[in-house]
């Protein structure tokens, strides 16, 4: 196979931090290459250099054997390089066709009929299903991702970079995406996939390139690799990938949710009559396609979401025989009641942490009332920050470095570590391992298991159904804001859960 791209001694620095150091590797035509590495290893930075978002400080890039300088995303497109980012770059109020041609230059008015015909041709060729006149806000997550891929193909890309493409897809949607990727590979396109899901790497890729702490470790043929061997290459030492799930003991009711209804600011009901119990000593998983109410469910319990009349969230304290109603209370009032509730939100920098603060400042947010004088006490938060940095392997120049400068995975480690360190009786996590490498993810899974053994009621919103069935005792499934079922964790299959994730109660009752 010929090289589509060859990187030679690529180095990229951000101040005193070297994100990529002397990286030399190749991307071939007609192959799917997986790019792996721990959080902060430089994967996304390297691909952002290829897509024109960053420019390397040292080294050369060769496209089709010719040395090139890629200084803008436009120049990357001119060379046939297109990147599909983890967070979609779409305008919600525009149609699919309008998003596809947005930013392109054409003399006079766009011939939208010709655009529709070209989009249809691309869809027919690779098996996509896109309606050109459909508005983006009407699309599912899978349809939006499909649109992003069609958009780069429309612009002539034959080297595609996909950053965490399956993060919010069901198993069925993931397999459809892989089928499309294989068709594009047959067509001679070069495809790079950045992912932390090793079973997907082994399923879809031909080769795997690994980065560690900004340096290139090596490339292996996927057929010769295992999850364990790839993890050891990423980490640089022997690791264990065992998920231990103990049987629940002394289950004690901590939360009783009844008739929970939430209407968003647009008047749309995003949660519809949700009722369930959460118990100390168990992990309750929440499964559903992104945007099906998981965020609103956890925020309602945490006092961050307005609920409709008749909604009820009862908290049962380990120290008291009577329950407390949490609906209508702010997070501060919930805390003042003595409710030990920790929450890892989906929006880690918007809601969970303050980006301009370092680790110490963000630890202090959880315990600012402990200060003995006008000035808030900083010693304990600093010690906690150092402890989390060491135990979870947070890559940061200092505990005072603003967290917004860190990689997404390291930010997630800080947030999860802080919330677990608060010794909660109820721990709610929304995508606790999103953006984390497999080694750190397993560390978090084991931390959640430890919390369960301590009698904590753990509510875990996750997107990897293999993990949900492995670590959760029960799994609640949401579809379109409705609860479509609660299944036994170890006794269910991901196909069964995937079907519940895509069928509303109305559709199921009509069968």
């Amino acid at each position: 196979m010929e090289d589509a791209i060859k990187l030679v001694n690529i180095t990229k620095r951000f101040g005193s931090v070297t994100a990529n150091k002397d990286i030399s590797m190749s991307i071939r035509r007609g192959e799917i290459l997986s790019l792996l590495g721990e959080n902060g290893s430089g994967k996304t930075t390297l691909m952002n250099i290829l897509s024109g978002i960053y420019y390397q400080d040292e080294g050369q890039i060769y496209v089709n054997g010719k040395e090139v300088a890629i200084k803008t995303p436009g120049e990357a497109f001119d060379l046939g390089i297109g990147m599909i980012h983890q967070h979609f770059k779409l305008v919600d109020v525009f149609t699919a066709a309008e998003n596809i041609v947005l930013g392109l230059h054409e003399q006079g008015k766009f011939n939208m009929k010709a655009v529709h015909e070209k989009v249809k041709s691309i869809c027919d060729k690779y098996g996509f299903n896109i309606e050109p006149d459909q508005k983006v806000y009407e699309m599912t997550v899978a349809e939006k991702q499909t649109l992003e891929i069609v958009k780069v193909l429309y612009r002539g890309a034959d080297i595609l970079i996909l950053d965490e493409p399956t993060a919010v897809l069901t198993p069925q949607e993931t397999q459809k995406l892989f089928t499309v990727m294989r068709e594009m590979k047959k067509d001679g396109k070069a495809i790079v996939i950045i992912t932390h899901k090793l079973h997907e790497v082994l399923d879809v890729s031909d080769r795997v390139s690994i980065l560690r702490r900004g340096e290139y470790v090596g490339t292996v043929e996927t057929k010769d690799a295992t999850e364990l061997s790839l993890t050891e290459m990423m980490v640089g030492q022997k690791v264990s990938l065992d998920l231990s799930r103990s049987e629940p003991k002394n289950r004690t009711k901590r939360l009783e949710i009844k008739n929970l209804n939430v209407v968003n600011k647009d008047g749309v009901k995003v949660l519809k009559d949700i009722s369930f119990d959460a118990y100390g000593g168990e992990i309750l998983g929440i499964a559903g396609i992104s945007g099906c109410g998981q965020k609103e469910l956890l925020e309602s319990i945490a006092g961050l979401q307005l609920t409709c009349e008749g909604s009820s969230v009862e908290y049962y304290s380990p120290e008291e025989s009577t329950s407390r109603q949490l609906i209508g209370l702010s997070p501060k009032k919930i805390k003042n009641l003595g409710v030990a509730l920790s929450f890892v939100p989906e929006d880690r920098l918007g809601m969970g942490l303050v980006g301009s603060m370092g680790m110490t400042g963000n630890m202090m947010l959880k315990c600012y009332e402990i200060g003995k004088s006008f000035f808030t006490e900083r010693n304990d938060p600093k010690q906690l920050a150092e402890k989390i940095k060491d135990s979870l392997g947070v890559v940061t120049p200092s505990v005072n470095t603003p967290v917004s400068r860190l990689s997404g995975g390291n930010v997630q480690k800080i947030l999860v570590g802080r919330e677990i360190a608060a010794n909660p009786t109820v721990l709610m996590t929304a995508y606790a391992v999103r953006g984390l490498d497999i080694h750190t993810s397993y560390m978090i899974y084991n931390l959640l298991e430890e919390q369960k053994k301590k009698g904590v009621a753990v509510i875990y919103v996750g997107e990897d159904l293999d993990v949900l069935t492995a670590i959760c005792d029960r799994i609640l499934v949401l579809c379109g804001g409705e609860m479509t079922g609660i299944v036994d964790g170890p006794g269910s299959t991901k196909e069964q859960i995937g079907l519940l994730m895509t069928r509303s109660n109305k559709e199921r009752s009509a069968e």
Side-chain angles (χ1 to χ4, degrees), residues 149-214:
I149 296 172
V150 172
K151 185 168 75 172
V152 297
L153 291 173
Y154 184 95
R155 295 163 189 235
D158 57 8
I159 302 165
L160 286 84
I161 303 164
L162 291 84
D163 190 2
E164 298 284 353
T166 66
V168 290
L169 301 183
T170 66
Q172 292 87 344
E173 290 167 341
T174 296
Q175 288 308 313
K176 283 182 183 177
L177 174 64
F178 287 174
T179 299
V180 169
M181 288 169 62
R182 293 184 182 106
E183 287 299 315
M184 290 192 290
K185 180 180 86 168
K186 286 180 189 176
D187 199 31
K189 298 195 182 300
I191 302 168
V192 181
I193 175 174
I194 303 173
T195 180
H196 291 299
K197 299 179 181 180
L198 294 188
H199 63 282
E200 294 181 356
V201 169
L202 297 174
D203 181 11
V204 77
S205 64
D206 301 294
R207 294 189 304 146
V208 187
S209 292
I210 290 118
L211 303 184
R212 187 194 310 144
R213 294 174 192 149

Coordinates of all heavy atoms in Angstrom, one line a residue, residues 149-214:
I149 N -19.5 13.4 8.1 CA -18.7 12.6 7.2 C -19.1 12.9 5.7 O -18.2 13.1 4.9 CB -19.0 11.1 7.4 CG1 -18.5 10.7 8.8 CG2 -18.2 10.2 6.4 CD1 -18.9 9.3 9.2
V150 N -20.4 13.1 5.4 CA -20.8 13.5 4.0 C -20.2 14.8 3.7 O -19.8 15.1 2.5 CB -22.3 13.5 3.9 CG1 -22.7 14.0 2.5 CG2 -22.8 12.0 4.1
K151 N -20.1 15.7 4.7 CA -19.6 17.1 4.4 C -18.2 17.1 4.0 O -17.8 17.8 3.0 CB -19.8 17.9 5.7 CG -19.4 19.4 5.6 CD -19.8 20.2 6.8 CE -18.9 20.0 7.9 NZ -19.2 20.9 9.1
V152 N -17.3 16.2 4.6 CA -15.9 16.2 4.2 C -15.7 15.5 2.9 O -14.9 15.8 2.1 CB -15.0 15.6 5.4 CG1 -15.1 16.5 6.6 CG2 -15.4 14.2 5.7
L153 N -16.6 14.5 2.7 CA -16.5 13.7 1.4 C -16.9 14.7 0.2 O -16.3 14.6 -0.8 CB -17.4 12.5 1.4 CG -16.9 11.3 2.3 CD1 -18.0 10.2 2.4 CD2 -15.6 10.8 1.9
Y154 N -18.0 15.5 0.5 CA -18.4 16.4 -0.5 C -17.3 17.4 -1.0 O -17.2 17.8 -2.1 CB -19.6 17.2 0.0 CG -20.3 18.2 -1.0 CD1 -21.4 17.8 -1.7 CD2 -19.8 19.5 -1.1 CE1 -22.0 18.7 -2.6 CE2 -20.4 20.3 -2.0 CZ -21.5 19.9 -2.7 OH -22.1 20.8 -3.6
R155 N -16.5 17.7 0.0 CA -15.4 18.7 -0.2 C -14.1 18.0 -0.8 O -13.1 18.6 -0.9 CB -15.1 19.4 1.1 CG -16.2 20.3 1.5 CD -16.1 20.7 3.0 NE -17.4 21.4 3.4 CZ -17.4 22.6 3.9 NH1 -16.3 23.3 4.1 NH2 -18.6 23.1 4.2
G156 N -14.3 16.7 -1.1 CA -13.2 16.0 -1.8 C -12.2 15.3 -0.9 O -11.1 14.9 -1.4
A157 N -12.5 15.1 0.3 CA -11.5 14.5 1.2 C -11.4 13.0 0.9 O -12.4 12.3 0.7 CB -12.0 14.6 2.7
D158 N -10.1 12.5 0.8 CA -9.9 11.1 0.7 C -9.0 10.6 1.8 O -8.6 9.5 1.8 CB -9.3 10.8 -0.7 CG -8.0 11.5 -1.0 OD1 -7.5 12.2 -0.1 OD2 -7.6 11.4 -2.2
I159 N -8.7 11.5 2.7 CA -8.0 11.1 4.0 C -8.9 11.6 5.1 O -9.0 12.8 5.3 CB -6.6 11.8 4.1 CG1 -5.7 11.3 2.9 CG2 -5.9 11.4 5.4 CD1 -4.5 12.2 2.6
L160 N -9.5 10.7 5.8 CA -10.5 11.1 6.9 C -10.0 10.8 8.2 O -9.4 9.7 8.5 CB -11.8 10.4 6.6 CG -12.7 10.9 5.5 CD1 -12.2 10.2 4.2 CD2 -14.1 10.6 5.7
I161 N -10.1 11.7 9.2 CA -9.7 11.6 10.6 C -11.0 11.7 11.4 O -11.7 12.7 11.4 CB -8.7 12.7 11.0 CG1 -7.5 12.6 10.1 CG2 -8.3 12.5 12.4 CD1 -6.6 13.9 10.2
L162 N -11.3 10.6 12.2 CA -12.5 10.6 13.0 C -12.1 10.5 14.5 O -11.4 9.6 14.9 CB -13.3 9.4 12.7 CG -14.0 9.4 11.3 CD1 -13.1 8.8 10.2 CD2 -15.3 8.5 11.3
D163 N -12.4 11.6 15.2 CA -12.1 11.7 16.6 C -13.2 11.1 17.5 O -14.3 11.8 17.6 CB -11.8 13.1 17.0 CG -11.2 13.3 18.4 OD1 -10.9 12.3 19.1 OD2 -10.9 14.5 18.8
E164 N -13.0 10.0 18.2 CA -14.0 9.4 19.1 C -15.4 9.3 18.3 O -16.4 9.8 18.8 CB -14.2 10.2 20.4 CG -12.9 10.3 21.2 CD -12.6 9.0 22.0 OE1 -13.4 8.0 21.9 OE2 -11.5 8.9 22.6
P165 N -15.4 8.6 17.2 CA -16.7 8.6 16.4 C -17.8 7.9 17.0 O -19.0 8.1 16.7 CB -16.2 8.0 15.1 CG -15.1 7.1 15.4 CD -14.4 7.9 16.5
T166 N -17.5 6.9 17.9 CA -18.6 6.0 18.4 C -19.0 6.4 19.8 O -19.8 5.7 20.5 CB -18.2 4.6 18.4 OG1 -17.1 4.4 19.3 CG2 -17.7 4.1 17.0
A167 N -18.5 7.6 20.3 CA -18.8 7.9 21.7 C -20.2 8.0 22.1 O -20.6 7.6 23.2 CB -18.1 9.3 22.0
V168 N -21.1 8.4 21.2 CA -22.5 8.6 21.5 C -23.4 7.7 20.6 O -24.6 8.1 20.5 CB -22.9 10.1 21.5 CG1 -22.3 10.9 22.6 CG2 -22.5 10.7 20.1
L169 N -22.9 6.6 20.1 CA -23.7 5.8 19.2 C -24.1 4.5 19.9 O -23.4 4.0 20.8 CB -22.9 5.4 18.0 CG -22.4 6.6 17.1 CD1 -21.7 6.0 15.9 CD2 -23.6 7.5 16.7
T170 N -25.3 3.9 19.5 CA -25.7 2.6 20.0 C -24.8 1.6 19.3 O -24.2 1.8 18.3 CB -27.2 2.4 19.7 OG1 -27.3 2.3 18.3 CG2 -28.1 3.5 20.2
P171 N -24.8 0.3 19.8 CA -24.1 -0.8 19.2 C -24.5 -0.9 17.7 O -23.7 -1.1 16.8 CB -24.4 -2.0 20.0 CG -24.8 -1.5 21.3 CD -25.4 -0.1 21.1
Q172 N -25.8 -0.8 17.4 CA -26.3 -1.0 16.1 C -25.8 0.2 15.2 O -25.3 -0.1 14.0 CB -27.8 -1.0 16.0 CG -28.4 -2.2 16.7 CD -28.6 -2.1 18.2 OE1 -28.1 -1.2 18.8 NE2 -29.4 -3.0 18.7
E173 N -25.8 1.4 15.7 CA -25.3 2.6 14.9 C -23.8 2.5 14.7 O -23.2 2.8 13.6 CB -25.6 3.9 15.6 CG -27.1 4.2 15.6 CD -27.5 5.3 16.6 OE1 -26.7 5.6 17.5 OE2 -28.6 5.9 16.4
T174 N -23.1 1.9 15.7 CA -21.6 1.8 15.6 C -21.3 0.8 14.5 O -20.4 1.0 13.6 CB -21.0 1.2 16.9 OG1 -21.2 2.2 17.9 CG2 -19.5 0.9 16.8
Q175 N -22.0 -0.3 14.4 CA -21.8 -1.3 13.3 C -22.1 -0.7 11.9 O -21.4 -1.0 11.0 CB -22.6 -2.6 13.6 CG -22.1 -3.4 14.7 CD -20.6 -3.7 14.6 OE1 -20.1 -4.2 13.6 NE2 -19.9 -3.5 15.7
K176 N -23.1 0.1 11.9 CA -23.4 0.8 10.6 C -22.2 1.7 10.2 O -21.8 1.7 9.0 CB -24.7 1.6 10.7 CG -26.0 0.8 10.7 CD -27.2 1.7 10.7 CE -28.5 1.0 10.8 NZ -29.7 1.9 10.9
L177 N -21.7 2.4 11.1 CA -20.6 3.3 10.9 C -19.4 2.5 10.4 O -18.7 2.9 9.4 CB -20.2 4.1 12.1 CG -18.9 5.0 12.0 CD1 -19.1 6.1 10.9 CD2 -18.6 5.6 13.3
F178 N -19.1 1.4 11.1 CA -17.9 0.5 10.7 C -18.1 0.0 9.3 O -17.2 -0.1 8.5 CB -17.8 -0.6 11.7 CG -17.2 -0.1 13.0 CD1 -17.1 -1.0 14.1 CD2 -16.8 1.2 13.2 CE1 -16.6 -0.6 15.3 CE2 -16.3 1.6 14.4 CZ -16.2 0.7 15.5
T179 N -19.4 -0.4 8.9 CA -19.6 -0.8 7.6 C -19.3 0.2 6.5 O -18.7 0.0 5.5 CB -21.1 -1.3 7.4 OG1 -21.4 -2.3 8.3 CG2 -21.4 -1.7 6.0
V180 N -19.7 1.5 6.8 CA -19.4 2.6 5.9 C -17.9 2.8 5.8 O -17.3 3.0 4.7 CB -20.1 3.9 6.4 CG1 -19.6 5.1 5.7 CG2 -21.6 3.8 6.2
M181 N -17.2 2.7 7.0 CA -15.7 2.9 7.0 C -15.0 1.9 6.1 O -14.1 2.2 5.4 CB -15.2 2.9 8.4 CG -15.6 4.1 9.2 SD -15.2 3.9 11.0 CE -13.5 3.7 11.0
R182 N -15.5 0.6 6.2 CA -14.9 -0.4 5.4 C -15.2 -0.2 3.9 O -14.3 -0.5 3.0 CB -15.5 -1.8 5.8 CG -15.1 -2.2 7.2 CD -15.6 -3.6 7.6 NE -15.2 -3.9 9.0 CZ -16.0 -4.0 10.0 NH1 -17.3 -3.7 9.8 NH2 -15.5 -4.3 11.2
E183 N -16.4 0.4 3.6 CA -16.6 0.7 2.1 C -15.7 1.8 1.6 O -15.2 1.7 0.5 CB -18.1 1.1 2.0 CG -19.1 0.0 2.1 CD -18.9 -1.1 1.0 OE1 -18.7 -0.7 -0.1 OE2 -19.0 -2.3 1.4
M184 N -15.4 2.8 2.5 CA -14.5 3.8 2.1 C -13.1 3.3 2.0 O -12.4 3.8 1.1 CB -14.6 5.0 3.1 CG -15.9 5.7 3.1 SD -15.9 7.3 4.1 CE -15.9 6.7 5.7
K185 N -12.7 2.4 2.8 CA -11.4 1.7 2.7 C -11.3 1.0 1.4 O -10.3 1.2 0.7 CB -11.2 0.8 3.9 CG -9.9 0.1 3.9 CD -9.7 -0.9 5.0 CE -10.3 -2.2 4.7 NZ -9.9 -3.3 5.7
K186 N -12.3 0.3 1.0 CA -12.3 -0.4 -0.3 C -12.1 0.6 -1.5 O -11.6 0.2 -2.5 CB -13.6 -1.2 -0.5 CG -13.7 -2.4 0.3 CD -15.1 -3.1 0.0 CE -15.3 -4.2 1.0 NZ -16.7 -4.8 0.8
D187 N -12.6 1.8 -1.3 CA -12.6 2.8 -2.3 C -11.2 3.5 -2.3 O -11.0 4.5 -3.1 CB -13.7 3.9 -2.0 CG -14.0 4.7 -3.3 OD1 -13.9 4.2 -4.4 OD2 -14.4 5.9 -3.1
G188 N -10.3 3.0 -1.5 CA -8.9 3.5 -1.5 C -8.7 4.7 -0.6 O -7.6 5.3 -0.6
K189 N -9.6 5.1 0.3 CA -9.5 6.2 1.2 C -8.6 5.8 2.4 O -8.6 4.6 2.8 CB -10.8 6.7 1.6 CG -11.6 7.2 0.5 CD -12.8 8.1 0.9 CE -13.6 8.5 -0.3 NZ -12.9 9.4 -1.2
A190 N -7.9 6.7 2.9 CA -7.1 6.5 4.1 C -7.9 7.0 5.3 O -8.4 8.2 5.3 CB -5.8 7.2 4.1
I191 N -8.1 6.2 6.3 CA -9.0 6.6 7.5 C -8.2 6.4 8.8 O -7.6 5.4 9.0 CB -10.3 5.7 7.5 CG1 -11.0 5.8 6.2 CG2 -11.1 6.1 8.7 CD1 -12.1 4.8 6.0
V192 N -8.2 7.5 9.6 CA -7.6 7.4 10.9 C -8.8 7.5 12.0 O -9.6 8.4 11.8 CB -6.6 8.6 11.1 CG1 -6.0 8.5 12.5 CG2 -5.5 8.5 10.1
I193 N -8.8 6.6 12.9 CA -9.8 6.7 14.0 C -9.1 6.8 15.3 O -8.2 6.0 15.7 CB -10.7 5.5 13.9 CG1 -11.7 5.5 15.1 CG2 -9.9 4.2 13.9 CD1 -12.7 4.3 15.1
I194 N -9.4 7.9 16.1 CA -9.0 8.1 17.4 C -10.0 7.6 18.4 O -11.2 8.0 18.3 CB -8.7 9.6 17.8 CG1 -7.7 10.2 16.8 CG2 -8.2 9.7 19.2 CD1 -7.6 11.7 16.9
T195 N -9.7 6.6 19.2 CA -10.7 6.0 20.1 C -10.0 5.4 21.3 O -8.8 5.1 21.2 CB -11.5 4.9 19.4 OG1 -12.5 4.4 20.3 CG2 -10.7 3.8 18.9
H196 N -10.8 5.2 22.4 CA -10.3 4.6 23.6 C -10.9 3.2 23.7 O -10.6 2.4 24.7 CB -10.6 5.4 24.8 CG -9.8 6.7 24.9 ND1 -8.4 6.7 25.0 CD2 -10.1 8.0 25.0 CE1 -8.0 7.9 25.1 NE2 -9.0 8.7 25.0
K197 N -11.8 2.8 22.8 CA -12.5 1.5 22.9 C -11.7 0.5 22.2 O -11.8 0.3 21.0 CB -13.9 1.7 22.4 CG -14.8 2.7 23.1 CD -16.2 2.9 22.5 CE -17.0 3.9 23.3 NZ -18.3 4.0 22.7
L198 N -11.0 -0.3 22.9 CA -10.0 -1.2 22.3 C -10.7 -2.4 21.5 O -10.2 -2.9 20.5 CB -9.1 -1.8 23.4 CG -8.1 -0.8 24.0 CD1 -7.2 -1.6 24.9 CD2 -7.4 0.0 23.0
H199 N -11.9 -2.8 22.0 CA -12.6 -3.8 21.2 C -13.0 -3.3 19.8 O -13.1 -4.1 18.9 CB -13.8 -4.3 22.0 CG -14.9 -3.3 22.2 ND1 -14.8 -2.3 23.2 CD2 -16.1 -3.1 21.6 CE1 -15.9 -1.6 23.2 NE2 -16.7 -2.0 22.2
E200 N -13.3 -2.0 19.7 CA -13.6 -1.4 18.4 C -12.3 -1.3 17.6 O -12.4 -1.5 16.3 CB -14.2 -0.1 18.6 CG -15.6 -0.1 19.2 CD -16.2 1.2 19.4 OE1 -15.6 2.3 19.1 OE2 -17.4 1.3 19.8
V201 N -11.2 -1.0 18.2 CA -9.9 -1.0 17.5 C -9.6 -2.3 16.8 O -9.3 -2.4 15.6 CB -8.8 -0.6 18.4 CG1 -7.4 -0.8 17.8 CG2 -8.9 0.8 18.9
L202 N -9.8 -3.4 17.6 CA -9.5 -4.7 17.1 C -10.5 -5.2 16.0 O -10.2 -6.0 15.2 CB -9.6 -5.7 18.3 CG -8.5 -5.5 19.4 CD1 -8.7 -6.4 20.5 CD2 -7.1 -5.7 18.8
D203 N -11.7 -4.6 16.1 CA -12.8 -5.0 15.2 C -12.6 -4.3 13.8 O -12.8 -5.0 12.8 CB -14.2 -4.5 15.8 CG -15.4 -4.9 14.9 OD1 -15.2 -5.6 13.9 OD2 -16.5 -4.4 15.1
V204 N -12.3 -3.0 13.8 CA -12.4 -2.3 12.5 C -11.0 -1.9 11.9 O -11.0 -1.6 10.7 CB -13.2 -1.0 12.7 CG1 -12.4 0.1 13.5 CG2 -13.8 -0.5 11.4
S205 N -9.9 -1.8 12.6 CA -8.7 -1.3 12.1 C -7.8 -2.3 11.5 O -7.9 -3.5 11.8 CB -8.0 -0.5 13.1 OG -7.5 -1.3 14.2
D206 N -6.9 -1.9 10.6 CA -5.9 -2.8 10.0 C -4.5 -2.7 10.8 O -3.8 -3.7 10.9 CB -5.6 -2.4 8.5 CG -6.9 -2.5 7.7 OD1 -7.4 -3.6 7.5 OD2 -7.4 -1.4 7.3
R207 N -4.2 -1.4 11.2 CA -3.0 -1.2 12.0 C -3.3 -0.3 13.1 O -4.3 0.4 13.1 CB -1.9 -0.6 11.1 CG -1.3 -1.5 10.0 CD -0.1 -0.8 9.4 NE -0.4 0.5 8.9 CZ 0.5 1.5 8.9 NH1 1.7 1.4 9.4 NH2 0.2 2.7 8.4
V208 N -2.5 -0.3 14.2 CA -2.6 0.5 15.3 C -1.3 1.3 15.6 O -0.3 0.6 15.8 CB -3.1 -0.3 16.6 CG1 -3.4 0.7 17.7 CG2 -4.2 -1.2 16.3
S209 N -1.4 2.6 15.7 CA -0.2 3.4 16.1 C -0.4 3.9 17.5 O -1.5 4.4 17.8 CB 0.0 4.5 15.1 OG 0.4 4.1 13.8
I210 N 0.7 3.8 18.3 CA 0.5 4.2 19.7 C 1.5 5.3 20.1 O 2.6 5.4 19.7 CB 0.8 3.0 20.6 CG1 -0.3 1.9 20.5 CG2 0.9 3.3 22.1 CD1 0.1 0.6 19.9
L211 N 0.9 6.3 20.8 CA 1.7 7.4 21.3 C 1.7 7.3 22.9 O 0.8 6.8 23.5 CB 1.1 8.8 21.0 CG 0.9 9.1 19.5 CD1 0.4 10.5 19.4 CD2 2.2 8.9 18.7
R212 N 2.8 7.7 23.4 CA 3.0 7.7 24.9 C 3.7 9.0 25.3 O 4.8 9.2 24.9 CB 3.7 6.5 25.4 CG 3.7 6.3 26.9 CD 4.7 5.3 27.4 NE 4.6 4.1 26.7 CZ 5.7 3.3 26.4 NH1 6.9 3.7 26.7 NH2 5.5 2.2 25.8
R213 N 3.0 9.8 26.1 CA 3.6 11.1 26.6 C 4.2 11.9 25.5 O 5.3 12.4 25.6 CB 4.6 10.8 27.7 CG 4.0 10.2 28.9 CD 5.1 9.8 29.9 NE 4.5 8.9 31.0 CZ 5.1 8.0 31.6 NH1 6.4 7.7 31.3 NH2 4.6 7.3 32.5
G214 N 3.4 12.0 24.4 CA 3.8 12.8 23.3 C 4.8 12.2 22.3 O 5.2 12.9 21.3

